[in-house]
């Protein structure tokens, strides 16, 4: 798998299997990062919630991903 552009910033590159580049990942709140690391039912919905908020221009520090 190849690296792809980070949806959270114009110049970032995220690695395979990552949601965001490291800079953007660490800009999220600890609660959001914890929710996104959870596996199982609801994982895809949490990821879609993250990407929807990013696309809507919500600052990374203000993104809330519900567990």
């Amino acid at each position: 798998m190849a690296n792809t552009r980070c949806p959270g910033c114009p110049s970032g590159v995220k690695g395979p299997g990552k949601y965001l580049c490291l800079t953007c990942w660490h800009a999220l709140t600890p609660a959001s990062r914890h929710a996104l690391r959870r596996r199982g039912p609801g994982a895809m919905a949490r990821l879609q919630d993250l990407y929807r908020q990013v696309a809507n221009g919500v600052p990374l520090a203000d993104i809330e991903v519900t567990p």
Side-chain angles (χ1 to χ4, degrees):
M1 293 181 100
N3 291 341
T4 57
R5 294 190 63 147
C6 174
C9 61
S11 60
V13 176
K14 65 182 186 76
K18 305 294 182 190
Y19 301 146
L20 301 168
C21 69
L22 284 176
T23 301
C24 290
W25 179 255
H26 289 291
L28 294 172
T29 63
S32 291
R33 289 194 310 267
H34 177 75
L36 289 164
R37 283 192 298 262
R38 290 185 56 221
R39 297 179 183 247
M44 184 58 70
R46 289 188 291 275
L47 178 58
Q48 290 172 337
D49 187 27
L50 168 69
Y51 286 156
R52 182 178 40 76
Q53 291 182 65
V54 168
N56 287 334
V58 177
L60 294 170
D62 295 337
I63 288 178
E64 294 182 18
V65 179
T66 54

